[in-house]
Amino acid sequence: MTTLIDDFNRRVRYVRISVTDRCDFRCVYCMSEEMTFLPRAQILTLEELSMVARAFVELGVEKVRLTGGEPLVRRGIAQLVSEIGTLGLDDFAMTTNGVGLVKHAQALRDGGLTRLNISLDSLDADKFRQLTRTGDLHKVIDGIRAARDAGFERIKLNAVVLKGRNDDEVVDLVEFARREHLDISFIEEMPLGDVSDHSRAETFCSSDEVQALIEARYPLVPTTESTLGPSRYFRMADSESRIGFISPHSHNFCSTCNRVRVTVEGRLLLCLGNEHSVDLRAVLRRHPGNMDALKTAIVEAMPLKPERHHFTTDGDVQVVRFMNMTGG
Ligand code: SF4
């Protein structure tokens, strides 16, 4: 089996596939309030998305994550999951804002999805609405419980921490995760897209600061557990919940990078923090159904993969594209 190795001898074992740029939220760190979404003709069909996933699996990728925008707003998402669910993946995951889980959780589980990451940045309904601009906290909590009832284990919350916005809730979020038997990762905001809501220089909150807030209440013990993602995990002595930190600024993880992304337009993005990419949609539409042509394009893209990102915390926007194009 051909495997995907870049020029820094890093093997790509994980692909994140965005199935839509649309979302029913407008999170302040992800996109601006007014967004223009891609026309239907420009986005990959469900068949093309399924083919992309199969191509990566045939090239040795062990983990596929479906993202957005919000993947559960994509019509036919359960069908796409059931197709990818036949590829024999040990780790088939999705990142969602949780609202659509009451409707979809059982079908996703039955379709072969193995893990869920659910975004939750606040437990205060008013603040939650401010941070998401449109979101209803209770629908997300109902979604979390529906996912658990559908049989998902090790559900993980993702919380982006903004100083002066939700850093005062870090311990509350940990306690919610403990009560609900969930894992939780705290994420340093990444400077993708020119967000209008806040100054990233002012709101940047490092993982070390977040960890200190938690350790004032719960001592953390580092663990070597991994989910093939960038989280550094810690354990608490009296809980099975795992605490993770995703720290692109304060604990750079590019040297062990094992992933690439595909946008819903079919752009193979070699790195979240750069624009190096290859147009897989052109290959898919020039050679419909031709798996060899698609796999060749993916293999030939590997030398383009940059060594690392060049993010700063001073609020400068290095990458113009908003986070909703890749879903993190
Ligand atoms: S920023 Fe780029 S190189 Fe660094 S971990 Fe992310 S995708 Fe990999």
Side-chain angles (χ1 to χ4, degrees), residues 130-274:
Q130 283 164 19
L131 287 168
T132 62
R133 293 195 178 105
T134 62
D136 178 342
L137 172 65
H138 305 294
K139 289 187 178 165
V140 175
I141 293 178
D142 290 347
I144 293 169
R145 293 179 176 150
R148 210 175 33 224
D149 296 347
F152 283 99
E153 292 169 1
R154 290 242 83 100
I155 296 169
K156 186 170 78 158
L157 301 177
N158 280 349
V160 176
V161 181
L162 303 181
K163 204 170 276 176
R165 307 298 291 274
N166 63 341
D167 56 329
D168 60 337
E169 290 193 68
V170 165
V171 174
D172 296 342
L173 286 162
V174 169
E175 286 173 347
F176 177 79
R178 289 165 61 98
R179 275 197 311 277
E180 301 283 333
H181 310 290
L182 308 166
D183 293 340
I184 183 166
S185 274
F186 294 97
I187 306 173
E188 292 178 345
E189 184 183 2
M190 288 173 238
L192 270 73
D194 193 6
V195 294
S196 54
D197 171 81
H198 58 281
S199 150
R200 289 189 171 117
E202 287 164 20
T203 59
F204 176 67
C205 191
S206 76
S207 294
D208 296 340
E209 291 171 281
V210 174
Q211 184 172 346
L213 290 169
I214 298 169
E215 294 212 284
R217 178 78 181 76
Y218 300 105
L220 297 179
V221 180
T223 162
T224 55
E225 294 168 272
S226 165
T227 55
L228 273 187
S231 275
R232 293 171 300 121
Y233 285 110
F234 292 76
R235 288 280 188 168
M236 293 170 282
D238 60 350
S239 167
E240 83 271 10
S241 294
R242 276 188 305 206
I243 306 291
F245 297 101
I246 299 178
S247 324
H249 303 285
S250 60
H251 297 262
N252 185 287
F253 39 71
C254 296
S255 61
T256 56
C257 181
N258 61 4
R259 56 201 161 275
V260 294
R261 292 159 175 88
V262 179
T263 71
V264 70
E265 298 164 285
R267 274 182 77 196
L268 169 54
L269 265 174
L270 284 307
C271 168
L272 180 66
N274 291 282

Side-chain angles (χ1 to χ4, degrees), residues 65-66 71-72 77 81 92-96 108 113 115-117:
R65 177 179 296 280
L66 300 182
L72 297 179
I77 184 69
V81 165
F92 179 25
M94 179 183 283
T95 299
T96 169
L108 299 175
L113 197 72
R115 271 184 330 105
L116 281 171
N117 288 30

Side-chain angles (χ1 to χ4, degrees), residues 31-46:
M31 55 171 107
S32 66
E33 193 152 13
E34 301 304 326
M35 292 294 289
T36 306
F37 296 115
L38 294 164
R40 196 184 172 83
Q42 286 183 28
I43 69 169
L44 297 188
T45 64
L46 295 176

